[in-house]
Amino acid sequence: MEFAGKVVLVTGGSRGIGAATVRAILSRGGSVVIHFGSNEAAARRLAEEAGAGKCHLVSCDLGEPGATDQLWREAVSWMGRIDVLVNNAGIFLTEDQMGSDEDWRALWARTLQINLISTADLCRNAVNHWTEEGVGGAIVNVSSRAAFRGDSPDHWSYAASKGGIVSLTKTLARAYSSDGIYSYCVAPGFVPTDMAQAEFDKDPGLRERLLQEVPYGDFAPAEEIANAICFFAAGLATHATGQTLDINGASYVR
Ligand code: NAP
C-alpha cells in the first residue's frame, strides 16, 4: 500500500482509530490533513512525530451544522487538493429511553449530526470538488458492527447513525464509480480506544463480557482498523466500491 504523492484528510485524527490511520498513511509516504475536535495537543504531537511538512492540522466541531464547509476549504487549501477522505470521527452516547423528551431528542440530534450528517456533508464536499476538477478520489467511511447487528439497548441512535453511513456509502458508489470516485466502509467491532475505555470505566465487568462474544479471543487493535482503511484508500480494490469490510474477530459474521 503506497500513499506517496497523495493527500488524505482524516477526521477525528487526534485519537484512537483516526490517529492510527494517520500514522499508517504517513508511514506509507502520504501527506495528511489531521482534523481534530477539542484535542489539539494530541493532533499536534502526531504532526510533530511525522516531521515538518507532512501534516496539516484543522480543527472543526462536527456538532455544528454546516461547519464542514470551512473544514473542507482549509483542508484543500494546504496542498491544493485532497485525494482521499476518511470519515472517522464519531461519538457513542448512551441514551435513557425513560428520560425527558427533550434529552432524548437532543441526544439523537447530536449523534446524527456528528456521526452521519457531518459525514454526508464531507462526502458532498469531496464529490463536488472532484467532479468540478474532473479527477477521481476515494472515500472511506468508518461505520460499525452495530450497523448490521444492532447495538446495546441504550444505543439506538448510534446503531442507526452507523447504518446510515453504510447506505450513504452504497449510494455514492452507485452514483460516482464511473467518474473514478470510489466509496467504502469499514465496520469495526469493539476496539480498545478512549471510546471503548469510557464504557469499561462505567461497568467493570463489561470488558470480560464483551470478550466472551469474540471467538478470536481479543478485540481488534486500532492499527488493524487503520490497515483496512488504508487497503481501500490506496485504491487496491476499486471494484469493491460500495462494500463494507467487517473487522470484529468473528463476533458478527454476516
Ligand atoms: P475516540 O477514541 O473516542 O476518538 C474519537 C475521535 O472523533 C476523536 O479524534 C475526536 O476528536 C473526534 N470527535 C468526536 N466528536 C467530535 C466533534 N464534535 N467534532 C470534531 N471531532 C470529534 O473514538 P474511536 O474509538 O477512535 O472511534 C473512531 C470511529 O470508529 C468512530 O466513528 C466510532 O464510531 C468508530 N467505531 C469505534 C469502535 C470502538 O469500539 N472504538 C467500534 C466501532 C466503530 P477530539 O478528541 O479532537 O475532540
Side-chain angles (χ1 to χ4, degrees):
M1 289 185 282
E2 182 58 51
F3 286 94
K6 286 197 175 167
V7 188
V8 183
L9 166 59
V10 180
T11 69
S14 47
R15 291 188 287 126
I17 293 168
T21 304
V22 170
R23 287 197 178 94
I25 292 164
L26 288 168
S27 73
R28 293 169 171 100
S31 302
V32 184
V33 178
I34 306 175
H35 156 266
F36 62 94
S38 52
N39 221 319
E40 181 171 358
R44 202 161 286 289
R45 274 197 300 278
L46 260 182
E48 282 165 9
E49 255 177 50
K54 295 303 294 175
C55 296
H56 181 68
L57 303 187
V58 181
S59 80
C60 173
D61 178 4
L62 300 176
E64 203 54 55
T68 52
D69 288 350
Q70 179 64 19
L71 159 60
W72 180 260
R73 271 195 299 275
E74 283 184 36
V76 168
S77 71
W78 180 42
M79 294 269 192
R81 68 180 204 283
I82 295 291
D83 301 298
V84 179
L85 164 65
V86 179
N87 275 308
N88 159 78
I91 54 170
F92 184 71
L93 300 181
T94 301
E95 289 144 7
D96 175 7
Q97 298 92 287
M98 304 301 280
S100 73
D101 294 350
E102 207 178 25
D103 287 352
W104 172 261
R105 292 197 185 99
L107 186 141
W108 265 83
R110 185 158 176 77
T111 296
L112 291 182
Q113 171 56 39
I114 293 171
N115 289 4
L116 181 57
I117 298 175
S118 75
T119 295
D121 286 347
L122 276 172
C123 288
R124 178 175 177 241
N125 291 131
V127 164
N128 288 349
H129 172 76
W130 292 326
T131 303
E132 277 162 23
E133 299 287 319
V135 299
I139 296 171
V140 186
N141 292 324
V142 180
S143 177
S144 168
R145 177 182 63 185
F148 302 96
R149 187 207 61 172
D151 212 304
S152 55
D154 45 10
H155 291 100
W156 302 7
S157 60
Y158 180 79
S161 70
K162 294 300 183 177
I165 286 178
V166 172
S167 47
L168 165 70
T169 306
K170 290 179 181 179
T171 303
L172 295 175
R174 289 169 57 83
Y176 299 106
S177 54
S178 60
D179 301 320
I181 297 172
Y182 308 115
S183 311
Y184 318 88
C185 275
V186 298
F190 237 76
V191 180
T193 62
D194 293 347
M195 183 179 279
Q197 191 58 47
E199 300 307 304
F200 297 154
D201 290 348
K202 282 187 232 161
D203 176 352
L206 181 65
R207 188 175 191 284
E208 281 314 307
R209 291 202 305 280
L210 289 175
L211 264 182
Q212 282 166 14
E213 295 175 6
V214 186
Y216 187 99
D218 204 356
F219 302 123
E223 289 71 21
E224 277 206 16
I225 316 304
N227 288 341
I229 292 170
C230 285
F231 171 71
F232 283 140
L236 293 176
T238 53
H239 285 78
T241 188
Q243 302 290 337
T244 299
L245 182 56
D246 295 336
I247 313 156
N248 60 44
S251 61
Y252 192 76
V253 181
R254 293 187 284 135

